[in-house]
Amino acid sequence: MLIELENIHFSYSGHPPVFKEMSFALKPGEKVGMVGPNGSGKSTLLHLIMGLLKPSAGTIRLFGEKAETEKTFQKARMRIGLLFQNADDQLFSPTVIEDVAFGPLNMGVGTADARRRARETLEALNLTDHANRITHRLSGGEKKLVALATVLVMQPEVLLLDEPTTGLDEATYRRIVEILQKIEASCIIVSHEYDFLALTTRTVYALKEGKIDYNGDSSLLHSHYHFHPGGVVPHSHS
Amino acid sequence: MIREEFSFGASVMHRLDPRLKLLAATGFSIVVALSTRWMALAGALIFASVLLMFARLPVKSVGPRLFAVNAFVGLFWVMLPLSVSGSPLYSAGPVSVSLEGFALAGRLTLKSNSIVMAFMALAATSSIGALGAAMNRLRFPEKLTLLFLLTYRYLFVIQEEYERLKRAALMRGFKPKTDLHTYRTYAYWIAVLFVRASARAQRVQDAMTCRGFSGKFHTLREDEWTFRDSAWSVVLTAMVLVLVMVEWSPVSCS
């Protein structure tokens, strides 16, 4: 197991609990979609895994190791990448290349190595032309792709994506899908877009009433723009 | 908001190592700020003009900036002669205009213009990112460096947020007037900006933590120290030393 959550309790102070006895596990190679209404705790789940929030009860195991102290989380963060919902939160360096190299520099690889890795990642994502651009002058779609690069450059074994498609145009959307389909890392993708999850994940879980339930195979997911009974293509629902 | 228009260019000032420029600008400013002799101040103005010429910045942009400084300094030409006591040049009843006041205003004008020109030539010819990296490599406190770089980065985001608030208000028929409703609306905007900035700061920190940040700031930029930098460091040091000597030599030359 890469990630194991067991009987997790969590609440923000002064609010009803987000998770009650919640359990969830991510196996190597798994690509999992996570759906649920606003406020059901999708982002909270990702932040608990990264150790940005601490559960009031329950155990988190990352790569087989019990994660309780900041130190274990720090180690795990080198192997888990989190793509934040808002790319502006993730890109804080003056230029694109500096931002992409930020993670590797923190991992302790030298400057030259960090630069090389950053260049390779930008190249793999077709972003080489942007390397020396000022981060805040990028467009929304470019920011998202660069933010993804800042995570991928650390070669994470697990990728957590928090609503990666919100506000993206068609072209950027397709590029994100392509990248995620090629990637080998295990993924947890939080999204409202069923079509996107159907393209990028294999199984889907739903957050409901403080718990995470297995919801079925992603291929069954799609949004409906047609009148259901009159649909021509035969299909079934779980 | 910050366009960094002076940082684009290929003059010798643009190509100098940002560390050298940062140190030179700081040293020059301190000496000028402490100087009082006219010779030293005039020398400073000449040196700063020379540096500015080497930077070859567009006159169209330099002019308005110097104008802004001097418009503010102009106020002192009115206030200081009236408020500084000394030998009166002219007096009418309780109001007297002093020579010392004019002298002080004159010094202030020379100092502020020299310092602003030196900073335009030395600091503004590097991008903010390059200056941040230089601060880091000069072992400035990391917190200061990060604060400097993050402020630069998120000013734009806060400005965008402000524009959004303003548009939303204008769309609903808000017209600024001199009344309580207007003041309250402005106060709400400021409050919302503070709350959002603080929430964003938390998210940015989270994002940095996730990528392994633990307080140590690394920089990717490594400007090579060249012969040109060595040569110019001699020139710049000499400039500052000449000013020091003129100002603090026992022989009075003013």
Side-chain angles (χ1 to χ4, degrees), chain A residues 24-183:
Chain A
F24 172 76
L26 183 75
K27 291 195 269 305
E30 245 185 339
K31 300 204 182 214
V32 163
M34 198 65 74
V35 296
N38 287 334
S40 58
K42 300 189 299 293
S43 298
T44 308
L45 170 74
L46 303 186
H47 288 207
L48 280 168
I49 295 172
M50 289 309 265
L52 298 172
L53 297 169
K54 298 277 147 69
S56 51
T59 35
I60 298 175
R61 236 177 247 109
L62 302 174
F63 306 103
E65 200 178 336
K66 203 167 165 185
E68 274 177 328
T69 59
E70 181 62 16
K71 218 173 169 140
T72 41
F73 278 113
Q74 268 176 13
K75 238 171 45 196
R77 283 179 200 134
M78 297 292 160
R79 304 167 70 182
I80 309 177
L82 168 58
L83 184 74
F84 280 69
Q85 206 169 342
N86 186 337
D88 258 320
D89 296 340
Q90 201 139 11
L91 305 176
F92 57 87
S93 303
T95 61
V96 168
I97 186 90
E98 283 173 288
D99 217 300
V100 179
F102 176 76
L105 284 173
N106 288 331
M107 291 165 95
V109 313
T111 318
D113 216 17
R115 184 184 289 277
R116 185 181 53 75
R117 280 204 206 183
R119 288 221 168 269
E120 282 171 5
T121 308
L122 287 175
E123 210 176 292
L125 299 188
N126 239 334
L127 295 169
T128 312
D129 293 344
H130 299 311
N132 290 313
R133 286 183 65 192
I134 311 279
T135 43
H136 64 75
R137 293 192 188 136
L138 299 172
S139 75
E142 289 163 348
K143 275 184 189 165
K144 200 73 196 186
L145 287 167
V146 171
L148 189 58
T150 68
V151 175
L152 293 182
V153 72
M154 298 174 78
Q155 298 166 340
E157 293 160 57
V158 183
L159 200 54
L160 312 177
L161 303 141
D162 198 348
E163 305 202 12
T165 55
T166 13
L168 294 187
D169 60 28
E170 192 58 32
T172 318
Y173 179 97
R174 276 203 299 274
R175 279 180 77 182
I176 301 252
V177 169
E178 275 169 33
I179 293 163
L180 293 180
Q181 282 174 340
K182 263 192 258 166
I183 229 160

Side-chain angles (χ1 to χ4, degrees), chain A residues 185-202:
Chain A
S186 311
C187 300
I188 301 177
I189 304 178
V190 161
S191 181
H192 286 297
E193 292 193 47
Y194 292 129
D195 289 340
F196 178 72
L197 291 181
L199 287 168
T200 52
T201 65
R202 252 165 264 141

